[in-house]
Amino acid sequence: MSGSSVILFKTGYSFISQPVQLGQGEEGKEGAVEECRIGPLPAFAVHGTVAVQAWNTDQVEVLSLGRRKKEDLELSLPTEDMSMAGFLEANMGTMVSVDVEEGQGMRASTRCYQGRVKWVKALGDEGTEARLAMLEMTEGQVKKDKLFNCSKIVNIEKIVEDEEEVSLVARYRRTSPSKAPMATLSYLTRGLAWAPSYSLLINKEEMTLRLDGHATFLCDLPQFDGEPVGCVSLVAERPKVHLEQLCDPLVSGMGAMDFIRQLGAETGQNLPQPHVLQPPGAQYASNSKSMKSSRGREMFQMQSDACHGYGGGYEMEEESYVSQSVEGIKGGESVEDFFHYQLQSVPLNHKQPVKMPFIKQCGDIKYEDIYFIDLDNNVR
């Protein structure tokens, strides 16, 4: 993720841009239509924000994006015992979804458990003894084992190893012979947030003070593995995100009618509405094709510039790509209503909070008097 850039909001949403290579680096023929896998993406991305844009549109044209077809998930067949326990035993160590009958009479119900097959009781000599099985399940960061009677199982399905990420398929055409054409994959997602904290040290003897500011990063996105992210911008304001609960069909894979129903529930009507990201006092809108307002273009442009020399060919700028080996403060800038604190080489890691300074230390500031004002009670 070193060549990537991220804009973080305090609301738990973030706009992520990352460089992707179209194809395997081989030289293609002019005019040939090719396909390649792009990703991974998180399991949620706000509708209308998923986009892939070529670095050099004179050499390659992105034709379409599609959700990658899931591979067939087949259970291994048992060789002897064809019972539910036998199927679990034949698929030891596999991620499965198991439907189990629970309760009796009027209170009987079926419950679904998902986990990795950890243990199955061996088949007895007579084959009449009830067989038990154990699934290793994960809830948040905690792993626990679930033991149940295999005679109560009514259904077993194999599931993918990691359902927190998805991949896309990009179709593109080379408009001129080239090797390893590059593009930028961008999307607005949730699961990555930051929270500031401040400390003020007062030296009453020398009548000076020092201000420190630290940002705590919380990351629920599995594609961040601790490798430093090249450019991270922290937005101080809290923009309002409309349709924030509506996932893009490219990522969710939902059907047409399910998507229309969810769209209608989010907008209050059955007609599709554009995705809108609106900070206080200004409009920031996008539809399923592109960012429409100037602020949206500036935001995307800043992300693109951090990933590569936009429009400057296929090679990333040396300054922005893996050039910062030590995390630190890069600076800050205003983008109309937004102020961005810019950091470099931030080691974002899945499920591991990180804290680092986000403002340059202000030390030995002279003062004469200090007044304490409660803005929440005095400012309307």
Side-chain angles (χ1 to χ4, degrees):
M1 301 296 290
S2 54
S4 303
S5 61
V6 180
I7 296 179
L8 272 72
F9 304 99
K10 294 180 181 178
T11 55
Y13 284 78
S14 56
F15 190 77
I16 299 176
S17 292
Q18 61 188 78
V20 293
Q21 179 176 300
L22 302 178
Q24 300 298 323
E26 70 280 1
E27 185 172 350
K29 296 181 180 180
E30 182 178 351
V33 177
E34 304 172 51
E35 291 186 355
C36 70
R37 179 178 174 179
I38 289 181
L41 282 79
F44 179 88
V46 176
H47 171 54
T49 65
V50 180
V52 172
Q53 186 167 357
W55 289 12
N56 194 328
T57 56
D58 293 334
Q59 295 186 353
V60 64
E61 176 187 7
V62 178
L63 301 175
S64 65
L65 282 177
R67 180 179 170 86
R68 180 171 176 263
K69 183 180 179 180
K70 290 185 177 180
E71 299 176 355
D72 294 334
L73 302 175
E74 298 181 352
L75 289 169
S76 299
L77 298 177
T79 56
E80 298 180 0
D81 182 16
M82 299 301 292
S83 66
M84 291 296 187
F87 273 92
L88 288 180
E89 188 176 28
N91 292 273
M92 191 73 67
T94 302
M95 290 291 294
V96 296
S97 175
V98 179
D99 294 333
V100 182
E101 288 184 342
E102 296 183 348
Q104 296 179 351
M106 297 296 293
R107 296 184 178 180
S109 62
T110 301
R111 187 171 180 181
C112 178
Y113 296 95
Q114 293 184 352
R116 191 179 303 277
V117 183
K118 186 175 183 179
W119 172 82
V120 180
K121 185 178 180 180
L123 182 66
D125 294 336
E126 299 180 357
T128 58
E129 187 178 1
R131 301 183 67 181
L132 302 179
M134 181 181 295
L135 290 186
E136 182 183 77
M137 303 188 304
T138 302
E139 293 184 359
Q141 295 182 335
V142 179
K143 290 185 177 181
K144 66 178 184 179
D145 295 332
K146 175 64 179 179
L147 183 69
F148 48 83
N149 190 333
C150 292
S151 64
K152 300 294 184 180
I153 299 176
V154 296
N155 184 55
I156 302 174
E157 293 182 3
K158 184 178 179 180
I159 59 177
V160 293
E161 292 287 332
D162 188 359
E163 294 187 314
E164 295 181 322
E165 298 180 334
V166 298
S167 297
L168 303 178
V169 174
R171 285 174 54 84
Y172 62 97
R173 177 170 54 206
R174 301 177 193 249
T175 54
S176 65
S178 60
K179 284 187 177 181
M182 298 296 296
T184 298
L185 169 65
S186 60
Y187 50 88
L188 180 68
T189 187
R190 61 191 179 197
L192 186 59
W194 76 287
S197 60
Y198 306 91
S199 63
L200 187 66
L201 180 62
I202 300 175
N203 188 328
K204 294 183 177 180
E205 295 181 356
E206 299 181 3
M207 298 292 287
T208 59
L209 55 84
R210 186 181 69 190
L211 175 66
D212 294 322
H214 289 81
T216 299
F217 300 95
L218 306 171
C219 179
D220 295 335
L221 302 181
Q223 67 263 39
F224 292 97
D225 56 4
E227 181 182 357
V229 177
C231 178
V232 174
S233 297
L234 312 179
V235 179
E237 290 76 12
R238 294 175 176 265
K240 181 179 180 182
V241 180
H242 296 286
L243 301 184
E244 61 181 8
Q245 301 299 327
L246 184 61
C247 185
D248 196 293
L250 286 174
V251 176
S252 66
M254 70 178 70
M257 298 312 298
D258 290 336
F259 175 75
I260 292 299
R261 281 192 289 268
Q262 289 196 21
L263 182 63
E266 290 291 326
T267 61
Q269 54 185 349
N270 292 327
L271 296 177
Q273 296 292 315
H275 165 75
V276 178
L277 176 62
Q278 183 176 354
Q283 293 184 346
Y284 173 52
S286 70
N287 62 9
S288 59
K289 293 183 179 179
S290 61
M291 299 289 184
K292 289 298 185 182
S293 71
S294 60
R295 183 175 297 103
R297 289 192 296 270
E298 290 173 3
M299 234 175 184
F300 183 81
Q301 183 68 44
M302 186 177 67
Q303 290 282 42
S304 301
D305 291 343
C307 285
H308 57 83
Y310 191 76
Y314 302 123
E315 306 214 344
M316 301 179 185
E317 289 185 354
E318 182 179 358
E319 182 179 355
S320 61
Y321 182 59
V322 203
S323 62
Q324 303 293 345
S325 59
V326 180
E327 56 266 39
I329 301 169
K330 187 176 181 180
E333 67 172 340
S334 295
V335 182
E336 296 192 17
D337 292 340
F338 292 115
F339 184 83
H340 296 255
Y341 297 96
Q342 295 182 349
L343 305 180
Q344 61 191 16
S345 299
V346 180
L348 297 178
N349 204 344
H350 180 222
K351 298 296 185 181
Q352 296 186 16
V354 176
K355 187 175 184 179
M356 60 182 290
F358 75 98
I359 59 175
K360 294 183 179 180
Q361 188 180 85
C362 302
D364 298 331
I365 301 175
K366 295 292 184 178
Y367 74 90
E368 295 181 359
D369 297 293
I370 295 179
Y371 301 91
F372 295 94
I373 301 176
D374 189 341
L375 295 179
D376 292 335
N377 295 329
N378 292 279
V379 176
R380 293 292 184 265

